[in-house]
Amino acid sequence: DGGITQSPKYLFRKEGQNVTLSCEQNLNHDAMYWYRQDPGQGLRLIYYSQIVNDFQKGDIAEGYSVSREKKESFPLTVTSAQKNPTAFYLCASSGLAGGLTDTQYFGPGTRLTVL
Amino acid sequence: GQQVMQIPQYQHVQEGEDFTTYCNSSTTLSNIQWYKQRPGGHPVFLIQLVKSGEVKKQKRLTFQFGEAKKNSSLHITATQTTDVGTYFCAYHSGGSNYKLTFGKGTLLTVNP
């Protein structure tokens, strides 16, 4: 069953703690992405990676870190430096297709609440 | 940089009424993608438009890309309760960069 998995679905953390969100895909996609979604804000890009061992900052990378050691995995760490970490986090992946962007496939998301 | 504005931000309709959401850019876009996110769910790809003036249909949904490639629309004919959700447009920044930038979305609610 191909797709993207994110775990956990709901996550609670105390303020000041780092937390790592998992994202795994078995679609053999090269590119992976992390988005943050807040009510009324749409999707904002945090980090993206087009190839293993390489990643780029998106529009709101401050307070976040990522790694891409394997093609299938792109974990996101929300650090204590992130001022407002409570949000819905979505991971996505896409293949690389010529000069046009492929569609993005999204995981079910992780809802992070920092208390 | 490029930005897209989606209007309206919210739309409430009676079941059976039509619905249209618009995605407008100040600059020419290379392509437009549309996604739907059901309440509590994740975005799901609907369609991609690439050519100037392109029109694509999926059952009751009609997608258009403007002649100048600066705007796009999604029209739903005779809405159903299953159409409820947020509709996002997204565009590719171009070049070797494969990231998408999403609009803020239009939330559609349907009264049965």
Side-chain angles (χ1 to χ4, degrees), chain A residues 13-80:
Chain A
R13 278 295 182 268
K14 291 184 178 179
E15 195 172 338
Q17 290 181 332
N18 290 356
V19 59
T20 298
L21 310 184
S22 165
C23 177
E24 304 278 332
Q25 55 100 358
N26 61 5
L27 300 169
N28 200 32
H29 284 167
D30 291 311
M32 296 187 74
Y33 313 81
W34 274 106
Y35 294 91
R36 170 182 173 138
Q37 187 172 35
D38 297 283
Q41 291 293 319
L43 298 167
R44 293 186 289 170
L45 183 64
I46 305 173
Y47 268 98
Y48 63 105
S49 168
Q50 293 178 199
I51 197 169
V52 174
N53 292 323
D54 188 44
F55 48 83
Q56 287 81 40
K57 292 182 179 180
D59 301 315
I60 55 164
E62 185 175 348
Y64 300 97
S65 65
V66 293
S67 62
R68 186 86 187 277
E69 297 176 2
K70 297 187 300 182
K71 187 176 184 177
E72 305 79 24
S73 178
F74 191 41
L76 172 75
T77 297
V78 184
T79 75
S80 56

Side-chain angles (χ1 to χ4, degrees), chain B residues 20-42:
Chain B
T20 304
T21 176
Y22 300 90
C23 186
N24 298 319
S25 171
S26 57
T27 58
T28 302
L29 303 173
S30 59
N31 59 34
I32 275 279
Q33 296 184 359
W34 285 92
Y35 290 77
K36 175 184 178 182
Q37 183 177 22
R38 293 181 188 273
H42 58 275

Side-chain angles (χ1 to χ4, degrees), chain A residues 36-44 84-90 111-112, chain B residues 9-10 37 86 88 103-105 107:
Chain A
R36 170 182 173 138
Q37 187 172 35
D38 297 283
Q41 291 293 319
L43 298 167
R44 293 186 289 170
N84 297 296
T86 295
F88 187 45
Y89 291 88
L90 286 157
R111 197 166 295 277
L112 173 65
Chain B
Q9 191 175 0
Y10 306 98
Q37 183 177 22
T86 301
F88 294 98
K104 293 189 175 183
L107 172 61

